[in-house]
């Protein structure tokens, strides 16, 4: 596996790949876990070349968020990506990605300010801007994102469609620990007690799927069921626990198969999020639903 650090060298190497076949891009912020490796595996199976990027994007962190402390593990990440069959990894740096004259941003109005966007103002502008830059640097045929960051997958797909970008967005299932906790680089911040508390999120999704399977369809009742589970298990109030239409994040009165239950909550000093497409399998609990 090759490693490059400058934009110019990265563009040249990716242009060479593109001339010879398809590139699958796995964009990451590093501190890789099995969820990232599942994206690499999918990319490896569908493309001639796999390019991974590791870049902790300052633009998507708000003031007071964990940019400085975000887990960084370059050597381990490189090893895992190599073992996963990545051809080229780009370790990009903020000074080059955002020079002092860089002012262009991608923004999506209401779509980028709902839910996560409300809790983290400017977050999706930062995500979309960096993803757009990464697409231009790596010219992928396909790019791979995890379902865990559900809202991110929707806004990225919308950007690709609105701006006619020739990239297929592939969304891979959320990877979970055996007890259901969604894998996230930020889980590294959790103490053992906080990790147990964090299971509140999957418990609320399990409950909403149970009630949905049992025939309940009014979103008020289903959201109340989620909040009830969360209030029993969490120390702090959740940022949101809602059921949304996946295309525009509107709140349906009557819930249908394919609507998405989304939840985000602070646990200790860590913010956890999770989601579940109603009617889908739910990780280790699929057989009990
Ligand atoms: O999901 C992430 O890790 C990041 O938001 C991404 C897509 C790599 C952009 O920085």
């Amino acid at each position: 596996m090759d490693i490059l650090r400058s934009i110019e060298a990265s563009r040249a190497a990716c242009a060479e790949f593109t001339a010879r076949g398809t590139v699958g891009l796995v964009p990451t912020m590093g501190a890789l876990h099995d969820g990232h490796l599942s994206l690499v595996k999918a990319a490896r199976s569908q493309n001639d070349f796999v390019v991974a990027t590791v870049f902790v994007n300052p633009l998507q962190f708000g003031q007071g968020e964990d940019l400085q402390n975000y887990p960084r593990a370059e050597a381990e990440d490189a090893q895992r990506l190599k073992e996963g069959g990545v051809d080229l990894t780009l370790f990009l740096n903020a000074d080059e990605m955002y020079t002092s004259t860089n002012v262009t941003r991608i923004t999506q109005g209401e779509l980028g300010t709902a839910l996560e966007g409300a809790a983290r103002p400017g977050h999706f502008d930062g995500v979309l801007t960096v993803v757009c830059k990464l697409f231009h640097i790596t010219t992928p045929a396909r790019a791979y994102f995890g379902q865990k960051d559900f809202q991110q997958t929707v806004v990225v797909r919308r950007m690709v469609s609105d701006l006619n970008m020739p990239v297929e967005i592939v969304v891979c299932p959320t990877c979970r620990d055996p007890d259901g906790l969604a894998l996230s680089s930020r889980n590294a911040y959790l103490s053992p007690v906080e990790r147990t508390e964090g299971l509140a999120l999957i418990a609320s999704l399990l409950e909403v799927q149970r009630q949905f399977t049992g025939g309940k369809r009014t979103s008020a009742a289903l959201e109340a069921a989620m909040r009830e589970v969360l209030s029993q298990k969490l120390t702090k109030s959740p940022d949101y626990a809602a059921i949304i239409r996946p295309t525009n994040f509107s709140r349906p009165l009557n819930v249908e198969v394919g609507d998405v239950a989304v939840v985000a909550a602070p646990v200790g000093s860590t913010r956890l999020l999770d989601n579940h497409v109603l009617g889908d399998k739910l990780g280790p609990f699929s057989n009990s639903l």
Side-chain angles (χ1 to χ4, degrees), residues 173-189:
T174 302
C175 289
R176 299 181 181 281
D177 279 334
D179 58 9
L181 189 74
L183 298 191
S184 162
S185 304
R186 288 191 169 96
N187 290 355
Y189 299 144

Side-chain angles (χ1 to χ4, degrees), residues 115 147 150 154 205 208-209 212 216-220 222-223 226 242-263 274-282:
L115 302 165
Q147 168 71 18
F150 158 74
V154 174
L205 297 176
V208 75
Q209 177 60 55
F212 183 79
K216 205 169 269 181
R217 288 293 182 272
T218 48
S219 68
L222 290 167
E223 288 181 356
M226 288 175 79
I243 300 174
I244 56 165
R245 280 275 127 90
T247 41
N248 56 9
F249 309 144
S250 64
R251 308 279 287 270
L253 287 178
N254 289 304
V255 175
E256 296 170 359
V257 168
D259 286 337
V260 184
V262 289
V263 55
D274 206 344
N275 68 85
H276 172 60
V277 180
L278 290 163
D280 271 10
K281 298 186 169 197
L282 184 48

Side-chain angles (χ1 to χ4, degrees), residues 10-24 48-49 51 88 137-141:
S10 302
R11 280 175 67 97
C14 292
E16 220 175 276
F17 284 160
T18 308
R20 288 160 49 208
T22 57
V23 169
D48 299 309
F49 301 98
V51 176
L88 170 64
I137 293 166
T138 62
T139 58

Side-chain angles (χ1 to χ4, degrees), residues 26-30 36 53 55-57 60 70 123 126-128 130-131 134 144-146 149 152 156 185:
V26 181
T28 81
M29 297 207 303
H36 296 110
T53 58
F55 177 57
V56 182
N57 173 34
Q60 69 190 74
Y70 195 82
H123 171 68
V127 169
L128 292 172
V130 81
V131 169
L134 295 173
Y144 295 79
F145 295 84
D149 294 308
Q152 171 169 278
V156 168
S185 304

Side-chain angles (χ1 to χ4, degrees), residues 30-254:
L32 303 178
H33 50 67
D34 287 350
H36 296 110
L37 272 293
S38 75
L39 306 182
V40 169
K41 194 171 172 200
R44 185 69 281 167
S45 71
Q46 295 176 341
N47 300 279
D48 299 309
F49 301 98
V50 178
V51 176
T53 58
V54 177
F55 177 57
V56 182
N57 173 34
L59 219 57
Q60 69 190 74
F61 287 77
Q63 278 198 346
E65 290 188 11
D66 56 344
L67 174 61
Q68 301 310 327
N69 300 331
Y70 195 82
R72 287 162 172 88
E74 196 177 302
E76 292 85 345
D77 288 348
Q79 186 59 32
R80 297 201 78 181
L81 292 168
K82 185 175 169 190
E83 286 166 9
V86 168
D87 298 294
L88 170 64
T89 295
L90 311 180
F91 286 99
L92 301 166
N93 70 80
D95 289 343
E96 199 190 7
M97 287 290 273
Y98 302 114
T99 59
S100 57
T101 55
N102 181 307
V103 291
T104 306
R105 302 289 176 260
I106 297 194
T107 191
Q108 280 183 349
E110 281 178 16
L111 214 52
T113 54
L115 302 165
E116 274 306 282
R120 306 181 65 189
H123 171 68
F124 287 119
D125 295 2
V127 169
L128 292 172
T129 302
V130 81
V131 169
C132 177
K133 282 171 74 73
L134 295 173
F135 285 177
H136 286 303
I137 293 166
T138 62
T139 58
R142 299 181 189 83
Y144 295 79
F145 295 84
Q147 168 71 18
K148 189 193 142 259
D149 294 308
F150 158 74
Q151 215 182 335
Q152 171 169 278
T153 67
V154 174
V155 297
V156 168
R157 276 202 163 120
R158 181 65 74 90
M159 172 181 74
V160 163
S161 152
D162 287 352
L163 300 182
N164 310 101
M165 296 176 164
V167 186
E168 180 190 343
I169 302 304
V170 182
V171 177
C172 299
T174 302
C175 289
R176 299 181 181 281
D177 279 334
D179 58 9
L181 189 74
L183 298 191
S184 162
S185 304
R186 288 191 169 96
N187 290 355
Y189 299 144
L190 299 171
S191 70
V193 171
E194 289 167 350
R195 198 193 164 288
T196 303
E197 188 179 326
L199 293 173
L201 278 73
I202 184 70
S204 73
L205 297 176
L206 191 55
E207 183 56 25
V208 75
Q209 177 60 55
R210 273 212 184 101
Q211 297 207 8
F212 183 79
T213 306
K216 205 169 269 181
R217 288 293 182 272
T218 48
S219 68
L222 290 167
E223 288 181 356
M226 288 175 79
R227 281 196 300 272
E228 173 65 22
V229 172
L230 293 167
S231 71
Q232 282 166 14
K233 295 179 187 289
L234 288 175
T235 312
K236 300 178 189 165
S237 303
D239 288 342
Y240 55 81
I243 300 174
I244 56 165
R245 280 275 127 90
T247 41
N248 56 9
F249 309 144
S250 64
R251 308 279 287 270
L253 287 178
N254 289 304

